[in-house]
């Protein structure tokens, strides 16, 4: 007879690259998102929640990260032969919604969206295949006032979330200016835009690596090429020293205020029509920001912002946190970017053939929450619920009534519903982070009293005690009249606050 | 030469069975969920947000709906050959989380979860392939006090959401009692539980159809079988008249109060050990509910609750809305169930081999929101933002400043960022549902005034007007000093309230 095979038990694991969020973390994130979206809402943006699943054809391929051109989506074939996929961002679904409902939507259409997105890419430390985004976009306005509005709104959202003024900076740049600089450097001919496309690709990727490689590394990539520490050689764009200097000048064009920076950029783009238009857009944005009183301690025109330039078609912006944190190796480094966006004018055209101007911003929710946590500004974890212990299982109904009384008074409370003696129940209350426990045994019930334990005080005292006798004599427990339960628990919680 | 093919444009459509949620609907749902989860939270439940994607082996096959045994999940093969899938409910992921993190989680573990789930089933009117659930479960307590707690919490959650007392009823039953009744009817032998499994399956499905088929239809299915209106014949369970009477008696066992109902059930289960245990559980639940003051106008023991009996192992409960609405054909019908749950003791065992008792409830979010909307109790759609119109594009910075002033005073406001004349802008404000528009042209600016339009009043007046001259003379527009903008807009909004 064949040996009977024991069925293998399923592994209790999230798939690789996915994670769960527990308790205080969920509440802190929800509180942060509520504060951010209330700012979006005040600016006239309306919420939109699209389905997580889209057809692959509707999603298209517009992943914004230059560094990861091959990253994919999670996709499968539906029974009616359509390919479906999980959305990889909140912008592609917006383009689909706008094309689908454009007859019913206001024009311009301002919307915000919050939700998970999915990327089928290699997971790594701190890099997950599902993460939250929190976006705001304006579809149907070609006016750079819309970009300026989003920059101002982003500054307000940062402060609403809990990032103090001075700890963040909204940096604004313009893709058209880079195109102008490319023209001035002789690697872009507006009459023949395909020419030198390969060299421009290398330039773009080099610029994007400024943070990591520094000025010298980028200069090498603009020229003949660069050999990294491992000895690998990356071919450069082959620009002459003079050409490279124009590009490097672009990244280094930031001056004391927006007007001075724009003046410097105007020099750099020379006769380029695109470049001149881009500089004029930045000038208008600077003017709007001034009128709103958003000074350079909050929003700056900064040509060194290069992230996403390859994806956007006009102004680009990012929110950078300027304070330092310690990285995994204990080195100080600047926290960096927590939000980015810009103008993208071609997404809706895919569907309708009609060009629809649009711009928007996406907040990296997990990074912003990490920043708030680093600054101690995330929603503080509240203590756990008051735990009503169970000394006598036949009295369960009475314990339930106590918890209900406490809740009716606005105090979070629960009855211990597991099994185990008082030590086990106290351990449970400790694990819950509870501040108060309630005890009523047969003796207490007969006398119309209950014991309430100050678990926070108890923990402090226990740390200082030497013997079990000390523990039993500790003042962290008090006997009170049953009728005073709510008032006494409330006073104990207030005393801990 | 081959004709050049024009690339086909992607269709701007959600996949079949998926939908988007806009504006007020998103806010109404979020407000409702916040109220419900605050009740869960007050009871000591902690939030948990699991990943949307699970391995297929972790999900298993525990779909609770007897009627749809073949419904599927959305699944695909990962690059490392694991099958992944979107979660189809929030309970299967909870079992996985509990098994994965059981060493770190408190015991019992009370958690709530809110989020979309996905079902790969045929979509239909009002039936989508992505929908929200809002669950609360207690893992690790075998005490029916946990079930009673959830029933009481569900009643509170209904009232917090906006369902008035008297408009809902939490109905409680017990799977073990049904098993006892099956024993008494001679279709379940505890010594040989496989015997008569087929007949019991038919009985279960018949009971589940009571709502649709009525007493007579169910009786036919318990006996020889039933021919429906189309002439199709469904084979019955083949029970004798006497056997069927026992089953029918179970569904009809509800009496004036919990004690009387339990007494009747005790007669029906006869000598069955399982049945007797089930009745005792219901008695304890009734006792807990009485102690909490939850009378039969809120929670009742009701053996006619059969939904989900096939899935659960002990007590089952559902929240039913008792008011009537008009269905699609204009007929009155009771709104019906908006939440259901019960005790399920085997989900964690799949992973660990260890039985872990658990119970919980799931709220059908879309149905509850539909009920609130039907009762006019969903969050009322607020008016759209104040629209600052653009008469002079060179004055954009000034208009932005006006909107910012209004927002700083807590008034939702935006500048019109599209293109078009005043009529177009008024149409936009109308489409936004705005209550107030602000107009400042060159003349007003020179005089230091602005016009504010009461759009709500204007719409009422316009409805009563006959000529364009009436329209121009309408009192819905007022000239105010620029410096009084915030105060005057606030007064106008208050006057409309």
């Amino acid at each position: 007879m064949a040996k009977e095979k024991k069925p293998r038990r399923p592994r209790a694991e999230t798939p690789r690259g996915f994670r769960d969020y527990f308790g205080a973390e969920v509440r802190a994130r929800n509180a942060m998102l509520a504060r951010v979206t209330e700012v979006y809402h005040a600016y006239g943006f309306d919420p939109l929640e699209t389905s997580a699943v889209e057809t692959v054809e509707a999603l298209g391929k517009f992943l914004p990260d230059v560094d990861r051109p091959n990253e994919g989506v999670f996709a499968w074939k539906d029974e009616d032969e359509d390919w479906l996929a999980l959305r990889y961002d909140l912008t592609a679904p917006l383009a689909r919604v706008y094309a689908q409902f454009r007859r019913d939507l206001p024009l311009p259409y301002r919307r915000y969206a919050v939700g998970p997105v999915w990327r089928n890419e290699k997971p790594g430390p701190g890099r997950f295949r599902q993460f939250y985004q929190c976006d705001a976009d304006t579809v149907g306005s070609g006016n750079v006032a819309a970009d300026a509005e989003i920059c101002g709104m982003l500054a307000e959202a940062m402060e609403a979330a809990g990032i103090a003024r001075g700890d963040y900076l909204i940096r604004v740049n313009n893709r058209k200016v880079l195109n102008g600089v490319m023209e001035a450097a002789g690697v872009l001919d507006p009459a023949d835009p395909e020419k030198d496309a390969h060299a421009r690709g290398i330039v773009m990727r080099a610029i994007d690596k400024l943070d990591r490689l520094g000025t010298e590394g980028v200069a090498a990539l603009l020229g003949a090429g660069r050999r990294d520490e491992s000895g690998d050689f990356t071919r450069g764009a082959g620009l002459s020293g003079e050409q490279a200097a124009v590009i490097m000048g672009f990244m280094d064009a930031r001056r004391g205020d927006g007007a001075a920076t724009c003046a410097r950029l105007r020099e750099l783009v020379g006769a380029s029509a695109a470049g001149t238009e881009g500089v004029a857009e930045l000038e208008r944005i600077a003017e709007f920001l001034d009128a709103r009183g958003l000074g350079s301690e909050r929003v700056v025109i900064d040509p060194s912002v290069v992230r996403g330039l390859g994806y956007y078609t006009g102004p680009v912006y990012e929110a950078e946190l300027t304070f330092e944190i310690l990285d995994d190796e204990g080195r100080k480094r600047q926290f960096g970017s927590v939000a980015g966006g810009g103008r993208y004018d071609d997404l809706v055209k895919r569907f309708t053939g009609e060009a629809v101007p649009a711009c928007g911003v996406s907040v990296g929710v997990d990074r912003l929450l990490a920043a708030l946590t680093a600054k101690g500004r995330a929603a503080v974890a509240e203590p756990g619920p008051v735990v009503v212990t169970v000394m006598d299982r036949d009295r369960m109904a009475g314990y339930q009534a106590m918890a209900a009384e406490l809740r009716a008074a606005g105090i979070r409370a629960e009855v211990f519903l597991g099994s185990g003696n008082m030590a086990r129940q106290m351990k449970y209350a400790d694990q819950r982070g509870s501040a108060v426990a309630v005890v009523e045994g047969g003796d207490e019930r007969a006398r119309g009293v209950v014991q309430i334990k100050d678990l926070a005080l108890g923990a402090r005292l226990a740390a200082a005690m030497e013997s079990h006798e000390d523990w039993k004599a500790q003042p962290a427990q008090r006997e009170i009249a049953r009728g005073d339960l709510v008032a006494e628990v409330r006073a104990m919680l207030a005393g801990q606050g």
Side-chain angles (χ1 to χ4, degrees), chain A:
Chain A
M1 256 177 70
K3 229 170 151 182
E4 206 172 302
K5 243 188 170 170
K6 214 171 146 187
R8 195 173 70 80
R9 284 188 193 134
R11 282 166 300 170
E13 284 170 16
T14 43
R16 218 163 43 91
F18 291 89
R19 57 162 297 192
D20 305 305
Y21 296 85
F22 291 87
E25 197 172 2
V26 175
R27 288 179 74 84
R29 185 176 59 192
N30 287 348
M32 180 187 87
L33 288 171
R35 292 193 300 265
V36 169
T37 54
E38 276 316 297
V39 173
Y40 292 169
H41 192 72
Y43 272 79
F45 288 69
D46 275 344
L48 170 67
E49 191 173 317
T50 62
S51 72
V53 178
E54 297 273 353
T55 63
V56 165
E57 72 165 312
L59 281 184
K61 269 291 191 180
F62 282 89
L63 288 173
D65 300 89
V66 178
D67 247 18
R68 293 173 276 167
N70 295 320
E71 71 185 0
V73 295
F74 290 105
W76 64 90
K77 212 167 195 169
D78 197 19
E79 75 266 19
D80 49 10
E81 298 295 291
D82 269 340
W83 275 92
L84 304 182
L86 292 175
R87 64 183 178 211
Y88 55 78
D89 71 4
L90 300 173
T91 311
L94 170 62
R96 191 266 305 155
V97 163
Y98 190 80
Q100 184 172 355
F101 299 103
R102 64 191 182 281
R103 281 174 196 85
D104 303 317
L105 290 172
L107 178 70
Y109 175 48
R110 287 179 177 92
R111 85 90 180 79
Y112 65 87
V114 176
V117 301
W118 293 266
R119 304 246 173 121
N120 190 4
E121 54 186 20
K122 217 179 151 66
R127 185 146 149 189
F128 294 96
R129 303 207 286 176
Q130 171 178 331
F131 53 92
Y132 263 77
Q133 291 189 332
C134 175
D135 287 19
D137 293 81
T138 300
V139 180
S141 174
N143 195 323
V144 293
D147 299 272
E149 175 178 273
I150 283 176
C151 292
M153 183 169 78
L154 188 54
E156 248 180 78
M158 288 296 128
E159 295 183 21
I163 303 292
R165 205 169 291 183
D167 276 344
Y168 73 89
L169 202 52
I170 313 298
R171 302 156 76 213
V172 187
N173 196 358
N174 195 317
R175 170 66 199 261
K176 290 176 186 168
V177 178
L178 174 62
N179 282 353
V181 170
M182 295 264 206
E183 279 185 49
V187 287
L188 173 62
D189 179 357
D192 184 6
E194 292 306 308
K195 203 183 136 201
D196 296 322
H198 180 71
R200 284 201 306 280
I202 298 175
V203 170
M204 293 285 297
R205 286 191 291 279
I207 292 178
D208 203 39
K209 289 176 182 155
L210 181 63
D211 277 3
R212 224 164 65 223
L213 305 183
T215 312
E216 209 168 315
V218 173
L221 284 173
L222 295 177
R226 177 176 175 274
R227 191 170 302 280
D228 68 17
E229 284 158 28
S230 74
D232 286 349
F233 185 75
T234 308
R235 267 188 75 120
L239 269 54
S240 71
E242 210 171 317
Q243 288 179 304
V246 177
I247 305 286
M248 301 299 294
F250 168 67
M251 290 183 275
D252 193 37
R254 183 171 158 192
R255 297 293 179 268
D257 61 31
T261 303
C262 288
R264 171 66 184 137
L265 289 172
R266 207 172 273 283
E267 290 171 21
L268 284 167
V269 299
S272 158
T276 306
E277 188 181 315
V279 175
E281 287 179 358
L282 286 179
E283 284 169 341
R284 291 200 70 204
I285 289 172
E287 178 200 341
F288 293 138
L289 296 171
D290 282 350
R292 287 274 325 269
L294 291 157
S296 61
E297 81 287 6
R298 287 194 274 174
V299 191
V300 292
I301 307 294
D302 184 348
S304 74
V305 179
V306 287
R307 183 166 154 272
L309 274 182
Y311 174 72
Y312 297 107
T313 56
V316 298
Y317 8 97
E318 72 175 17
E320 199 189 359
L321 303 191
T322 52
F323 56 84
E324 290 182 327
I325 53 159
L326 298 180
D327 69 10
D328 292 342
E329 274 98 47
R331 286 175 305 216
K332 275 189 180 180
R333 63 169 187 80
Q334 205 165 295
F335 193 92
S337 172
V338 292
R343 180 163 285 278
Y344 53 96
D345 284 343
D346 294 327
L347 279 186
V348 178
K349 194 174 180 180
R350 295 178 56 230
F351 295 102
T352 63
E354 228 176 294
V356 177
C359 62
V361 72
S362 180
V363 172
V365 172
D366 294 308
R367 278 191 59 76
L368 181 56
L369 188 57
L372 292 177
T373 305
K375 291 294 262 187
R377 301 293 297 271
V380 179
E382 53 177 9
V386 171
V387 172
V388 178
T389 60
V390 173
M391 295 291 280
D392 176 355
R393 286 170 76 91
D394 289 339
R395 275 281 297 161
M396 186 60 89
Y399 299 134
Q400 298 274 14
M402 286 186 208
E405 267 175 52
L406 290 165
R407 285 193 297 265
I411 299 166
R412 194 179 181 213
E414 59 172 48
V415 176
F416 180 75
L417 288 182
S419 49
N421 58 15
M422 191 47 56
R424 164 80 187 84
Q425 298 191 38
M426 285 299 135
K427 198 183 151 209
Y428 170 85
D430 183 52
Q431 203 176 2
R432 297 287 281 127
S434 301
V436 175
V438 178
V439 182
E440 184 211 58
D443 169 57
E444 280 88 5
R445 185 163 66 262
R447 294 189 292 118
V449 298
V450 295
Q451 309 282 340
I452 56 175
K453 285 172 180 276
D454 185 329
L455 298 174
L457 176 59
R460 286 199 301 278
L461 292 174
M465 279 173 197
E466 294 187 353
S467 73
H468 188 64
E469 278 61 42
D470 285 346
W471 170 260
K472 274 168 58 182
Q474 66 162 287
Q477 178 168 330
R478 286 201 299 127
E479 183 173 299
I480 59 163
R482 169 67 182 82
D484 296 338
L485 176 66
V486 167
E488 292 280 355
V489 168
R490 183 184 279 136
M492 193 174 268
L493 288 170
Q496 293 170 348

